[in-house]
Amino acid sequence: MKSQSQKEKILETLREKGFRITKQRKTLIDIILENECSSCKEIFYKASKVDSKIGTATVYRMVNVLEEIGAINRKNMYRISYSDDCPLEDACTVILDDQTTYHLSAKKWNQVVEEGLKACGYLNGQKICSISVRPCECKEKE
């Protein structure tokens, strides 16, 4: 029910901004509201299963429009590619509650995640392809 009211508000805003409400736009809105997609690529894969005529450009344009009207915020979505040879030096910043800050290279970040997953029993010889991280939206306890 919540998704339906959100969808109606988004559609109303799009109409007010002069956008045509097409079947493809409705499909993309449904996918975004109903799934936890962390990239346009994921939205595209899901959308192409529903409607093979939806292209990647349509997805990117729609995500940009939704961001412009305030319906979504891509800053709350992060996608970290896993690669042993990634040269990125500041791939991850970890800040502890005492404000100690660690800047991890992509290689070190990947090592930390892999070791943590092994220690918790989640990895048994598999390789990590990607990692999605979403910031906590809850208020900090004081």
Side-chain angles (χ1 to χ4, degrees), residues 89-141:
E89 288 302 315
D90 256 351
C92 176
T93 300
V94 178
I95 302 172
L96 305 180
D97 62 357
D98 67 356
Q99 299 308 306
T100 302
T101 304
Y102 296 101
H103 298 282
L104 305 177
S105 66
K107 186 174 183 174
K108 189 65 169 176
W109 166 248
N110 293 334
Q111 180 185 1
V112 168
V113 171
E114 188 173 303
E115 292 301 318
L117 289 171
K118 283 180 187 174
C120 292
Y122 293 117
L123 281 183
N124 297 309
Q126 304 100 317
K127 293 286 185 186
I128 300 169
C129 293
S130 67
I131 302 164
S132 296
V133 180
R134 292 179 188 265
C136 179
E137 293 180 8
C138 58
K139 294 183 180 181
E140 290 185 30
K141 294 179 183 177

Side-chain angles (χ1 to χ4, degrees), residues 56-109:
T56 54
T58 302
V59 173
Y60 279 94
R61 281 192 303 268
M62 186 62 179
V63 167
N64 285 334
V65 167
L66 292 174
E67 190 172 33
E68 285 173 21
I69 67 169
I72 63 171
N73 182 354
R74 280 192 278 184
K75 290 182 176 88
N76 290 335
M77 299 185 304
Y78 297 94
R79 183 62 137 193
I80 300 169
S81 294
Y82 183 86
S83 172
D84 286 330
D85 57 354
C86 180
L88 191 60
E89 288 302 315
D90 256 351
C92 176
T93 300
V94 178
I95 302 172
L96 305 180
D97 62 357
D98 67 356
Q99 299 308 306
T100 302
T101 304
Y102 296 101
H103 298 282
L104 305 177
S105 66
K107 186 174 183 174
K108 189 65 169 176
W109 166 248

